[in-house]
């Protein structure tokens, strides 16, 4: 058995029946899987079986090829998480990327997850939890993940507001004093900002 490596290469042993003790006779062969993808009970062709050992000259093989089976198990991948900085929007929603380590070229395997800030307030290096990390892509079936969640960090920056200023008319009073109103565009409900 072997872990998926993108090739049909295989290893194994050839055991001989019929060697008379104490003769020393061994055998080796070329092992190759019929396909490289993950599967239980995958066919393995064994060819070019040859004899070796001190007494191999006293023996011959009925055939120099054969078949057997073996399993190819999924290759376990690790990942690196990176969350994107964002402008404050009143929510804990986050975005980011999951970068896989260990994918064998040219296999097509990607990963996604759900990113969420620990809280919605502005700050640098805020904790981001990533959950539900899952594999996708044409070759995802040949791989597994060591884990399906993890932490990372990102910044929430302040949201820039636009101020609308309106001054009130007044009766002359000999001063430059004035009154008016300032309304803000961009405040996210139900935040209280004046």
């Amino acid at each position: 058995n072997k872990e998926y490596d993108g090739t049909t290469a295989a290893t194994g042993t050839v055991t001989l029946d019929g060697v008379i003790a104490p003769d020393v006779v061994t055998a080796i062969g070329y092992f190759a899987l019929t396909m490289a993808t993950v599967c239980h009970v995958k066919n393995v062709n064994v060819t070019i079986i040859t004899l070796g050992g001190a007494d191999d000259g006293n023996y011959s093989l009925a055939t120099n090829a054969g078949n057997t089976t073996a399993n190819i198990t999924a290759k376990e991948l690790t990942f690196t998480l990176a969350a994107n900085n964002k402008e404050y929007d009143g929510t804990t929603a986050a975005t980011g990327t999951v970068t896989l380590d260990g994918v064998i070229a040219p296999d097509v395997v990607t990963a996604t997850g759900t990113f969420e800030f620990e809280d919605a307030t502005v700050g640098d290096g805020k904790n981001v939890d990533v959950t539900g990390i899952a594999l996708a892509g044409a070759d995802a079936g040949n791989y597994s993940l060591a884990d399906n969640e993890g932490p990372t960090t990102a910044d929430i920056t302040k949201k820039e507001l636009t101020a609308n200023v309106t001054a009130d008319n007044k009766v002359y009073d000999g001063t430059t004093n004035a009154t008016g109103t300032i309304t803000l565009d961009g405040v996210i409900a139900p935040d209280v900002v004046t």
Side-chain angles (χ1 to χ4, degrees):
N1 298 329
K2 74 168 187 175
E3 182 183 77
Y4 172 77
D5 64 4
T7 75
T8 58
T11 58
T13 56
V14 180
T15 304
L16 297 171
D17 294 327
V19 175
I20 300 167
D23 287 356
V24 177
V25 185
T26 59
I28 58 170
Y30 176 77
F31 290 74
L33 292 148
T34 54
M35 293 179 65
T37 55
V38 167
C39 184
H40 294 291
V41 192
K42 183 81 78 175
N43 288 331
V44 180
N45 295 324
V46 188
T47 57
I48 318 174
I49 300 172
T50 56
L51 297 177
D55 302 297
D56 67 338
N58 297 319
Y59 297 87
S60 64
L61 288 168
T63 180
N64 69 343
N67 295 298
T68 186
T69 59
N71 300 332
I72 300 178
T73 58
K75 178 176 173 56
E76 188 173 82
L77 302 177
T78 57
F79 52 78
T80 304
L81 301 172
N84 299 320
N85 298 331
K86 76 168 186 175
E87 183 182 76
Y88 172 77
D89 64 4
T91 75
T92 57
T95 59
T97 56
V98 182
T99 303
L100 295 171
D101 300 318
V103 175
I104 299 166
D107 286 358
V108 177
V109 186
T110 59
T112 57
T114 301
F115 289 70
E116 186 170 10
F117 280 98
E118 193 171 61
D119 62 65
T121 57
V122 168
D124 294 334
K126 297 181 69 69
N127 291 331
V128 178
D129 294 322
V130 187
T131 57
I133 300 170
L135 297 176
D139 303 295
N142 294 317
Y143 297 89
S144 64
L145 287 171
D147 201 351
N148 70 342
E149 61 184 12
T152 186
T153 60
D155 302 338
I156 299 179
T157 58
K158 292 183 178 183
K159 179 173 175 58
E160 188 174 88
L161 302 178
T162 302
N164 300 309
V165 180
T166 304
D168 300 328
N169 298 329
K170 76 170 187 174
V171 175
Y172 173 76
D173 63 3
T175 74
T176 57
N177 294 339
T179 59
T181 57
I182 302 172
T183 59
L184 298 171
D185 290 335
V187 176
I188 299 166
D191 287 356
V192 178
V193 186
T194 58

